[in-house]
Amino acid sequence: MRSTPPFIRDLAAAGAAYRVGLSAAVSQGPILLGRAVFYGVCLMVLVAFWDKLASHRLPGTLAARLPPGGLGVYVGVTEWITLSVPAIHFKLQDDIQGGVLEPHLLRPKSYLAQTLAGQAGFMTARLALLGAAGLALLALFVRPWPSAPTLAAVAVLGVLGAAIGLLLLALVGLTAFWLRRVLPPMLIVQKLAFLFGGLFAPIAFYPDWLYRIAWASPFGAHLAFAGAAIIAPPAWPDFAAALAAQLFWLAALSGLAALIWRAGLRKTLRDGV
């Protein structure tokens, strides 16, 4: 009788961790609803700001380039992604600094893979609830829903963008092997996401040289691609290019996380926490 290949066993274990994370998130219904309310409040403030700006269309400013409905829907997409990504960096910091990591090293399953899978399950519940809340807010604000192909493109790019965001925060958390607190690198990544991810305004508004840097960065793949798709539905070649860039960054960041994880383990086994 053939034994199950290790790769299949690892996938099955990651799938189990994903389901546990998803179930844990669903069981925390009031917390999820509270996040949805916070999402709604953020959108009401930001939509009011962009609507005010769009209504004036001041000459000589970028306001003249705003789409007819302003950027309320764009901000709704970028905030949907941002608020759906769990704070995996703080969990990694607590486990690494608190000595929780050692028992996991005796188990046959990778702690990092299991943690990422569990947090991905948690993130899935947030994406689903906040996505539904965003569509409900469109109706509340009397905004037309995007077409079905546009929503599909945003859903695909948004989910992959959230996965990239999860990996970026995981990289931040892994710095706990060398830093006492991960807050400084987290703030750096956060500000880079604001700038290169286009959290509050599309990177298409940037000068050409800055736009190219933002598009090629993981932060653009994290937020900007899905946000751009909601205000200017991409043609198939553009969608394919964005999808390829996201898949590249998912693979690159996963590989980088694995390398940092191994370096951190060597440091911990040699010097302790």
Side-chain angles (χ1 to χ4, degrees):
M1 183 176 180
R2 292 183 178 180
S3 61
T4 305
F7 177 73
I8 300 299
R9 290 200 300 268
D10 291 343
L11 280 180
Y18 173 86
R19 292 190 295 272
V20 169
L22 179 61
S23 299
V26 172
S27 68
Q28 300 174 4
I31 297 177
L32 281 176
L33 290 175
R35 182 166 288 266
V37 171
F38 177 71
Y39 174 59
V41 171
C42 289
L43 283 193
M44 283 189 285
V45 173
L46 293 171
V47 167
F49 167 78
W50 281 116
D51 283 352
K52 186 70 173 178
L53 187 62
S55 66
H56 284 77
R57 304 277 173 172
L58 299 176
T61 70
L62 290 177
R65 295 174 56 187
L66 292 176
L71 290 179
V73 178
Y74 173 89
V75 174
V77 170
T78 57
E79 288 290 345
W80 166 58
I81 298 171
T82 301
L83 292 177
S84 295
V85 179
I88 187 175
H89 51 300
F90 288 134
K91 174 175 173 53
L92 290 172
Q93 172 189 271
D94 293 343
D95 288 356
I96 293 171
Q97 297 291 343
V100 181
L101 199 61
E102 282 75 4
H104 291 278
L105 301 181
L106 303 176
R107 300 175 182 175
K109 307 304 179 186
S110 168
Y111 164 83
L112 181 60
Q114 294 292 101
T115 301
L116 281 168
Q119 294 293 299
F122 209 94
M123 183 176 70
T124 300
R126 289 185 177 181
L127 283 167
L129 180 63
L130 295 184
L135 293 176
L137 287 169
L138 278 179
L140 179 64
F141 293 145
V142 197
R143 303 291 175 93
W145 279 19
S147 64
T150 298
L151 284 177
V154 171
V156 171
L157 297 177
V159 169
L160 292 178
I164 290 170
L166 183 66
L167 287 172
L168 287 170
L169 290 184
L171 292 175
V172 169
L174 291 175
T175 62
F177 281 115
W178 296 272
L179 303 176
R180 183 61 58 182
R181 292 290 179 266
V182 300
L183 182 61
M186 187 273 287
L187 291 175
I188 293 172
V189 168
Q190 184 185 69
K191 300 308 178 285
L192 289 173
F194 285 176
L195 176 62
F196 295 124
L199 180 62
F200 296 124
I203 61 174
F205 285 3
Y206 294 176
D208 185 64
W209 64 270
L210 185 56
Y211 166 80
R212 292 178 181 275
I213 293 174
W215 197 96
S217 74
F219 306 102
H222 171 35
L223 294 174
F225 293 175
I230 198 69
I231 58 175
W236 278 111
D238 296 331
F239 176 77
L243 187 62
Q246 287 185 321
L247 293 176
F248 166 79
W249 282 115
L250 283 173
L253 294 174
S254 296
L256 182 58
L259 290 175
I260 296 176
W261 168 252
R262 291 169 186 162
L265 283 185
R266 288 196 297 270
K267 182 262 182 189
T268 299
L269 294 175
R270 183 181 66 248
D271 304 327
V273 178

